Amino acid sequence: MNLPIAPSVLSLASREASARRADTLAPTCQGLNYFEIDHSLRSLLTLRMEAPLLTHLEPHLRELGELGGGRLGELSDTAEHHPPQLQPRDRRGRDEEWIEYHPAYREMERIAFGRFGMHAMTHRAGVLGWPAPMPPIAKYVFHYLFAQAEFGLLCPVNLTDSSSELVHRFGSEEIRSRHLDAMWSQDMDSLQRCAQFMTEKAGGSDVGAGDLRAVRDGENWRLWGEKWFCSNADAELAVLLARPDGAPAGGRGLGLFLMPKTLPDGTRNAYRIVRLKDKLGSRTMASGEIVFEGAVAHQLGALDQGLKQMLVMVNSSRVSHLARAAGMMRRCLNEALQASRHRNAFGRAVIDHPLMRRQLLKLIVPTEQALSALLYAANAPEQVLRMLTPIAKYRACRDNVTVATGAMEARGGNGYIEDWPNARLVRDAHLGLIWEGTSNINALDAIQRAVGKVRAHLALREDLAERLEKASGLPGQFRTRLEGGIANAFRFAEEVASRPENERFCRLAAGKLYHAATAALLATEGLQLGASGGDARRLLLARFVLEHRLQEGGAATIEASRWEDEAIDLLLANAPVPLAKATAALVA
């Protein structure tokens, strides 16, 4: 006799089965400490950062790493789902619009500006208890970790940082005394955040086509016109380019100005935020369209040097973009590793399938290239940066899109769903292709100007050659191949730069220079770390860059690529790679 089963028992059994099925879904990086799990960053900092500063900053980096996988990540997700809203009028009907942010965004600001002082640490003493302004590498490491949890807010952080440098260099004594302390403050009530309004309808990358008017009004100026893409739209200050009446057309006619949101008498300056952009990514941060109706602005520097002065901050801003791309790639790689290590398919963990292991390597290599480029750029002299920043901005930001897409695929269908982190990572990654110059603009700057006009590649080539010369432990056969690949990349860049009709090869040439530089960096880093008893895995990565990115195509036969099997096993294992194994793989 069959007895009926009570509905409550069926319901309980169904819930238990559902819970068991949910446990088979691979976890995300939530709950992880992004600094603790980043063995590459921690090892490279011993090479790139002075020991006393590293010792002092490690507890703070660990704290930010914990926040990234915890509270900061939660706040970022909340702010992403509650983007800023433009309120066009106050309650009395006055056109004094304001932007309303979710409390989660304001708490993220307190972490970035207030707790860590990321905008001020290279400008004044006392941030995080350090007795002097820190070197640039310090802030870029914080940017790198922060970007793994929150991308959009790093725009206001970087804009406040870089704009304060413009005010410091080109502002009058009165302007500096009025604003710099507030721009470097960690007190949220007195902090003056800054924006940079550059883009106009008439010209995006062609900044010289801008036609925002500046009209003299006593000691100040009045601005008339429109800016089309204004990130951090309601900042307390904005740096912008405008054309004084009577100035010539083109970039030479642009002056640099500082515009306050509020005038000294407490009234709102004469400009309107007419709309917020509905962006694909970076949704937590407000970008808008602004109309200027006689807004008061203060001149910074000589009126005919505005564009040239603005370019002072291009290198630092591009390195900031590199930090964001490197950080986001690290987050994407970690998400892919979490998905593939904790999900079974066809009777074994996904990461144990050879094809997935190869696909993971395609995420590992550009991620490690970007980290090497970032920490190298953070300490590089100006002449090296002139070459390095456009090629790194061009290539790393493009790699970020590929790595984000690969990480989404590694998670499968869940990666395409907004409940999981991958869809947002893909959306945010694309913005790096546009900010601070598109891929074409950066490639043209790298080859036609940095190589063709100022010969900046010579300083980079010399520095790389010196590093390789000191790398006495590199196997001779691999050294010959690496140095040959680097020489060919620089030779090709010179050939492309030599004739205007070669413009169509600029992107290819810029990419080759990036791969040449990072292959050399990875090789020398791996040798240094391995020789000191650490992890020599970067030597293996250098060979992958040489064969698959710099020379492209890899081995001609399957047999010639057999070395990759062991190398991939070593790279995916949670163990240091001994120097002897790494050097042996270079010539296998």
Side-chain angles (χ1 to χ4, degrees), residues 345-549:
F346 309 107
R348 54 179 167 166
V350 171
I351 198 171
D352 291 333
H353 291 271
L355 191 55
M356 175 55 81
R357 296 173 77 78
R358 182 175 177 81
Q359 294 307 110
L360 288 171
L361 191 73
K362 291 183 178 182
L363 310 186
I364 292 172
V365 171
T367 298
E368 299 295 355
Q369 284 182 273
L371 179 59
S372 290
L374 171 64
L375 298 184
Y376 175 58
N379 289 328
E382 194 70 24
Q383 59 269 31
V384 171
L385 274 179
R386 179 61 188 91
M387 187 71 255
L388 184 63
T389 55
I391 62 174
K393 166 63 171 64
Y394 159 66
R395 189 64 261 168
C397 288
R398 296 198 65 78
D399 285 345
N400 189 14
V401 174
T402 302
V403 171
T405 304
M408 178 180 66
E409 187 178 10
R411 192 170 289 280
N414 285 335
Y416 199 68
I417 305 302
E418 293 288 349
D419 292 343
W420 300 79
N422 298 90
R424 179 185 177 186
L425 289 168
V426 169
R427 287 189 277 103
D428 283 349
H430 281 79
L431 189 51
L433 303 179
I434 300 170
W435 272 354
E436 212 60 62
T438 62
S439 299
N440 283 352
I441 292 299
N442 278 277
L444 289 169
D445 181 41
I447 305 305
Q448 291 189 341
R449 288 185 283 277
V451 175
K453 292 184 178 180
V454 300
R455 311 294 287 172
H457 66 298
L458 299 179
L460 176 61
R461 186 172 67 186
E462 181 180 351
D463 189 73
L464 297 176
E466 289 178 359
R467 291 171 183 272
L468 286 171
E469 186 177 354
K470 296 175 183 177
S472 58
L474 276 182
Q477 181 181 344
F478 179 74
R479 176 189 294 275
T480 299
R481 294 178 59 210
L482 179 58
E483 290 178 343
I486 293 171
N488 286 337
F490 280 87
R491 191 181 305 116
F492 183 70
E494 289 179 338
E495 181 183 357
V496 174
S498 66
R499 301 173 68 90
E501 58 266 32
N502 293 338
E503 177 183 311
R504 68 188 180 95
F505 297 105
C506 283
R507 285 167 67 138
L508 179 59
K512 283 182 176 292
L513 288 180
Y514 176 77
H515 297 320
T518 52
L521 293 172
L522 286 163
T524 54
E525 290 162 352
L527 196 62
Q528 282 181 275
L529 292 169
S532 64
D535 191 346
R537 68 179 52 235
R538 305 186 86 72
L539 280 170
L540 303 176
L541 293 165
R543 183 172 178 181
F544 278 108
V545 173
L546 175 63
E547 294 188 0
H548 289 277
R549 309 210 76 190

Side-chain angles (χ1 to χ4, degrees), residues 62-83:
R62 189 167 288 106
E63 179 187 352
L64 181 54
E66 182 178 359
L67 284 169
R71 181 60 178 164
L72 178 59
E74 294 169 358
L75 293 170
S76 181
D77 289 342
T78 300
E80 172 81 359
H81 289 99
H82 298 86

Side-chain angles (χ1 to χ4, degrees), residues 310-332:
M310 192 70 195
L311 293 177
V312 164
M313 44 66 63
V314 165
N315 275 343
S316 65
S317 191
R318 282 176 173 169
V319 178
S320 176
H321 278 284
L322 172 58
R324 280 174 257 180
M328 290 179 67
M329 278 191 268
R330 180 68 60 185
R331 170 69 186 278
C332 291

Side-chain angles (χ1 to χ4, degrees), residues 239-318:
V239 169
L240 41 76
L241 293 169
R243 195 176 307 280
D245 277 354
R252 294 179 181 178
L254 295 175
L256 185 65
F257 298 89
L258 179 71
M259 183 191 73
K261 177 180 178 180
T262 304
L263 300 176
D265 64 2
T267 60
R268 171 70 180 272
N269 208 347
Y271 68 90
R272 297 283 318 280
I273 305 171
V274 294
R275 186 173 68 155
L276 294 187
K277 300 287 193 181
D278 186 9
K279 303 191 299 291
L280 173 69
S282 188
R283 293 177 178 175
T284 60
M285 186 269 301
S287 300
E289 300 163 17
I290 292 182
V291 172
F292 302 84
E293 302 168 332
V296 173
H298 312 296
Q299 178 180 334
L300 296 177
L303 284 177
D304 61 350
Q305 298 293 306
L307 183 55
K308 183 177 180 180
Q309 291 165 178
M310 192 70 195
L311 293 177
V312 164
M313 44 66 63
V314 165
N315 275 343
S316 65
S317 191
R318 282 176 173 169

